Amino acid sequence: MEFFEAISITSLWTEHNSTLVKVIWAFYIGIIIASVVMWYNQKIIGRAVKVLMKRSIFSPDKALTVKDAGIDSFFIRSALKKQYSALRRVIYCTVDKPRLNKNDFIGAKFYIPEEQKYRAEVKYHGKNTSFVMILITAVVMFFVALLCIEYIPKLLDMFNFNK
């Protein structure tokens, strides 16, 4: 396959019928999925952490409900429902239940304990994550995958001493 030829998406997967090509595309898809999940965690879910940190809500007596904090969204509620979710490891709740239902959110107040402040800041800072960066990553990794598909077999053939 000549690198600068017109490429269709289906030919990228089927043209080289090798395991190597499928592994390279699987890595590419995995990197894209990981980038989107990281963006979602830092920008969508991390908004709750940023609001609580900005307002200095670091103790149960200062805790706020999701409505009072201005973080009442479907995604944040979903992340806060389960007691052992990733977000609930840094944001604590005043209601001690394994799973919060819709009615529990009315009286439930949330805060970030002092000992979780650093962890919350590091995990949900989101300073370098943007949707534009995901697109740039996708494009760059696409070309890296094409280069790998093109040149890894040639490199392997070059080191094949059984010819």
Side-chain angles (χ1 to χ4, degrees), residues 40-41 43-48 66-67 70-82 85 87-88 99-102 105 110:
Y40 170 79
N41 278 331
K43 294 297 183 184
I44 306 297
I45 302 301
R47 191 170 67 88
V66 288
K67 286 191 186 235
I71 53 174
D72 191 15
S73 74
F74 170 77
F75 299 110
I76 292 174
R77 280 179 179 259
S78 297
L80 290 171
K81 270 186 184 175
K82 294 181 184 172
S85 69
L87 188 60
R88 286 281 299 274
R99 185 173 175 86
L100 299 175
N101 61 31
K102 191 174 185 179
F105 276 99
F110 298 93

Side-chain angles (χ1 to χ4, degrees), residues 8-17 21-23 25-26 29:
S8 70
I9 297 298
T10 55
S11 71
L12 289 175
W13 186 262
T14 59
E15 187 171 320
H16 300 285
N17 193 15
V21 172
K22 291 177 182 169
V23 167
W25 287 119
I29 292 168

Side-chain angles (χ1 to χ4, degrees), residues 20-47:
L20 176 66
V21 172
K22 291 177 182 169
V23 167
I24 290 170
W25 287 119
F27 272 112
Y28 171 73
I29 292 168
I31 288 169
I32 300 305
I33 291 171
S35 299
V36 171
V37 168
M38 186 176 70
W39 173 82
Y40 170 79
N41 278 331
Q42 291 183 348
K43 294 297 183 184
I44 306 297
I45 302 301
R47 191 170 67 88

Side-chain angles (χ1 to χ4, degrees), residues 19-154:
T19 305
L20 176 66
V21 172
K22 291 177 182 169
V23 167
I24 290 170
W25 287 119
F27 272 112
Y28 171 73
I29 292 168
I31 288 169
I32 300 305
I33 291 171
S35 299
V36 171
V37 168
M38 186 176 70
W39 173 82
Y40 170 79
N41 278 331
Q42 291 183 348
K43 294 297 183 184
I44 306 297
I45 302 301
R47 191 170 67 88
V49 172
K50 288 177 197 138
V51 167
L52 294 176
M53 296 277 276
K54 186 176 181 182
R55 292 186 176 189
S56 300
I57 311 297
F58 301 125
S59 65
D61 57 323
K62 292 182 178 180
L64 294 175
T65 64
V66 288
K67 286 191 186 235
D68 291 341
I71 53 174
D72 191 15
S73 74
F74 170 77
F75 299 110
I76 292 174
R77 280 179 179 259
S78 297
L80 290 171
K81 270 186 184 175
K82 294 181 184 172
Q83 186 175 13
Y84 299 108
S85 69
L87 188 60
R88 286 281 299 274
R89 289 183 185 154
V90 294
I91 296 180
Y92 287 31
C93 182
T94 57
V95 176
D96 191 23
K97 282 187 172 180
R99 185 173 175 86
L100 299 175
N101 61 31
K102 191 174 185 179
N103 294 331
D104 292 331
F105 276 99
I106 295 169
K109 293 184 177 186
F110 298 93
Y111 66 99
I112 300 172
E114 285 287 339
E115 63 269 9
Q116 295 296 331
K117 210 162 87 169
Y118 176 75
R119 183 178 182 185
E121 195 173 319
V122 169
K123 187 170 184 175
Y124 294 102
H125 66 84
K127 292 176 184 166
N128 300 327
T129 308
S130 68
F131 203 69
V132 173
M133 287 304 295
I134 292 174
L135 292 175
I136 291 170
T137 301
V139 170
V140 169
M141 292 309 295
F142 179 79
F143 287 111
V144 168
L146 288 177
L147 288 171
C148 288
I149 289 169
E150 182 67 24
Y151 292 108
I152 287 177
K154 291 178 183 177

Side-chain angles (χ1 to χ4, degrees), residues 152-163:
I152 287 177
K154 291 178 183 177
L155 285 171
L156 292 174
D157 285 342
M158 192 167 67
F159 291 112
N160 187 357
F161 298 112
N162 295 332
K163 287 186 178 181

